[in-house]
Amino acid sequence: MTVLVDDPIWPAHGRLWAHLVSDEDLHELHAFARRNDVPERAFDLDHYDVPEEIIPRLVAAGATPVGGKELTRRLIASGLRVPARDRRGSH
């Protein structure tokens, strides 16, 4: 399993945010997030939203930095991607 983190380009709450995903297994993604103090509330169906300032720590812990298109491509290939149409009403 590889944990991937994309570029922090998503503005919200006065910060920039990135996505943290697994290319294989949500259980391993959750375990990685727990080990690295990413709160459960940051999980959004198939990814964690993570603030820019913790990305260096996540990479040091083993996350692989990739661009957003690569992250999306690998998430879709994993079968874990939740399409936008399925997100409506899930929050």
Side-chain angles (χ1 to χ4, degrees), residues 18-84:
H19 302 111
L20 184 72
V21 306
S22 169
D23 69 350
E24 189 174 312
D25 185 275
L26 287 180
H27 297 292
E28 293 294 330
L29 176 62
H30 293 310
F32 182 89
R34 277 191 305 275
R35 283 192 308 272
N36 290 284
D37 300 319
V38 178
E40 287 181 32
R41 70 179 179 275
F43 186 68
D44 185 14
L45 301 177
D46 61 6
H47 70 275
Y48 284 86
D49 293 316
V50 294
E52 177 178 34
E53 61 270 13
I54 74 165
I55 293 173
R57 180 166 47 88
L58 297 173
V59 170
T64 301
V66 295
K69 288 181 181 180
E70 175 70 7
L71 181 135
T72 301
R73 185 187 69 73
R74 292 183 55 187
L75 185 59
I76 290 168
S78 75
L80 299 174
R81 175 76 170 147
V82 176

